[in-house]
Amino acid sequence: MSEALPQGAVIGILGGGQLGRMLSVAAARLGYRSHVYEPGAAPAGDVAHAVTQAGYDDAEALRRFAESVDVITYEFENVPAESLDLLESIRPIRPNRRALAVSQDRLTEKEFLHGLGLRTAPFANVETEADLPAALEAIGAPSILKTRRLGYDGKGQIRFSDATQRDWTGAASVLEGFVDFSGEISVIVARGADGAVAAYDPGLNVHEGGILRTTTVPSGAARAVETDAVLLAAKIVNALDYVGVMGVELFVTAGGLVVNEIAPRVHNSGHWTQAGCTVDQFEQHIRAVAGLPLGDGKRYADVVMENLIGADMDRVPELLAAPDAQLHLYGKAEVRAGRKMGHVNRVRR
Ligand code: AMP
């Protein structure tokens, strides 16, 4: 697929959560249609041209889905490899398989980043529970045990405050040394099919209970640190021959930037671009996977993005009345503690 997709072409999106929903809206704005594939209830289905509700192991449904679209992208990176093999035999997948393989496994990801000369937290592979004592000996405490696969929003993680603790995640894990950081920033970077790269300004992230609470731009980090962050994000997407948007989460430390993790998709910490930029991360991703030129990544406003989690939905009437608030609600029927229900971008001019 080297030509840009024509008007009316269909973009297949694996995963029907809020990221898929906002990608679908961006696709529609550019004259495309979207087909969402999601095993469960799909907030993205409300705004998509078509929805397939089927499991990621349903070969027949995957085949029909792939045949009905022009290109396949994803908002969910844990699709099984065999399903991706099947999809890829029918239509191109963007970003490519290597990006998925690298980011699906925390160990592979760290090894890849080291190969590029980038820093990560000190880590040890903990393949089974029996490897834990040696790993704790090597890494020490405080440290964090994280499942290698399928963790998100702090799930699948155990914190160790002393090296004699023996809690287990239940699955192959990595033990990470605790990074003494002054702040967490992330870079949302895009790479087009032609190799052009556009990065947004880094944002400062604040987490609560392992879940992103706010992202603020400007980040407040020193200019040189922001430049380093953008350059290393560009290095990562180039090395992967990446096409699409990627989120790169970083710790700011006295010794420089440490990469926490990379996400091969649009990212929660990039939602501020909806209010701060002419072309937001969702449009940028659709442009990339559709083979269009990337848009302007320049930031035109200072923005604070706040996630609306669980009972934060009670604040919606007040937010609707606030003059500076751009509200995004995901249409999820059931409010649950810890569930991302929406977000608000507040512009600070
Ligand atoms: P993660 O799921 O890996 O993004 O981790 C969620 C959050 O836990 C991060 O954003 C940090 O606030 C914190 N965290 C994760 N890993 C480390 C680490 N090695 N050192 C210090 N804090 C960490």
Side-chain angles (χ1 to χ4, degrees):
M1 198 186 105
S2 52
E3 302 283 290
L5 291 182
Q7 290 288 287
V10 183
I11 296 177
I13 302 173
L14 299 170
Q18 59 269 17
L19 301 178
R21 181 180 173 102
M22 293 183 274
L23 284 170
S24 290
V25 171
R29 274 180 40 215
L30 289 176
Y32 297 125
R33 293 179 289 171
S34 56
H35 185 160
V36 167
Y37 192 104
E38 162 66 51
D46 298 344
V47 295
H49 171 69
V51 186
T52 296
Q53 189 177 7
Y56 287 121
D57 54 357
D58 184 336
E60 194 38 49
L62 287 167
R63 184 171 292 112
R64 268 187 275 113
F65 165 77
E67 281 166 356
S68 77
V69 304
D70 294 283
V71 65
I72 298 169
T73 189
Y74 46 90
E75 57 118 60
F76 172 76
E77 60 264 44
N78 292 309
V79 178
E82 315 80 71
S83 312
L84 294 167
D85 288 342
L86 171 61
L87 293 169
E88 199 173 31
S89 71
I90 302 171
R91 291 291 181 273
I93 299 180
R94 287 178 163 176
N96 63 34
R97 293 292 299 283
R98 174 137 186 264
L100 270 170
V102 162
S103 59
Q104 273 178 349
D105 183 324
R106 287 187 192 273
L107 183 67
T108 321
E109 181 175 299
K110 285 187 168 44
E111 287 168 347
F112 162 75
L113 293 166
H114 281 193
L116 290 182
L118 304 176
R119 291 177 59 205
T120 68
F123 67 96
N125 184 19
V126 191
E127 196 75 42
T128 68
E129 197 171 357
D131 300 328
L132 188 57
L136 276 162
E137 177 87 9
I139 303 296
S143 47
I144 310 183
L145 188 65
K146 301 180 178 180
T147 54
R148 282 171 51 178
R149 293 175 166 271
L150 300 173
Y152 70 98
D153 286 349
K155 293 188 175 66
Q157 300 191 3
I158 300 172
R159 294 191 177 217
F160 289 82
S161 52
D162 82 83
T164 60
Q165 250 174 281
R166 288 292 178 268
D167 308 87
W168 178 234
T169 54
S173 300
V174 286
L175 183 70
E176 285 185 16
F178 210 77
V179 176
D180 183 17
F181 58 79
S182 59
E184 292 185 71
I185 62 173
S186 58
V187 178
I188 307 301
V189 61
R191 188 167 178 278
D194 59 357
V197 171
Y200 294 102
D201 279 1
L204 177 72
N205 299 326
V206 174
H207 292 82
E208 268 173 31
I211 304 178
L212 183 68
R213 184 77 217 165
T214 59
T215 300
T216 303
V217 282
S219 74
R223 195 64 184 268
V225 171
E226 290 203 335
T227 303
D228 272 349
V230 166
L231 289 174
L232 77 80
K235 190 170 185 174
I236 293 170
V237 287
N238 263 344
L240 291 169
D241 195 20
Y242 194 85
V243 175
V245 163
M246 172 183 278
V248 181
E249 294 184 43
L250 303 158
F251 297 130
V252 182
T253 77
L257 288 169
V258 172
V259 184
N260 176 26
E261 62 182 8
I262 62 177
R265 51 169 169 77
V266 286
H267 196 256
N268 193 167
S269 68
H271 292 357
W272 67 266
T273 59
Q274 294 169 314
C277 303
T278 308
V279 174
D280 67 28
Q281 65 163 348
F282 301 100
E283 178 176 340
Q284 197 73 299
H285 186 76
I286 296 295
R287 283 181 179 233
V289 302
L292 298 174
L294 293 183
D296 176 16
K298 190 175 181 313
R299 183 173 61 81
Y300 292 98
D302 296 357
V303 185
V304 180
M305 186 287 308
E306 184 189 2
N307 273 332
L308 300 176
I309 301 168
D312 288 338
M313 284 299 277
D314 296 344
R315 290 168 42 209
V316 164
E318 161 209 330
L319 290 169
L320 284 169
D324 63 349
Q326 179 195 61
L327 191 60
H328 296 258
L329 299 176
Y330 307 150
K332 296 180 184 176
E334 197 193 333
V335 177
R336 276 188 253 127
R339 190 176 202 202
K340 290 174 183 169
M341 304 298 297
H343 67 272
V344 58
N345 286 320
R346 305 190 91 139
V347 175
R348 306 269 184 256
R349 277 177 219 282

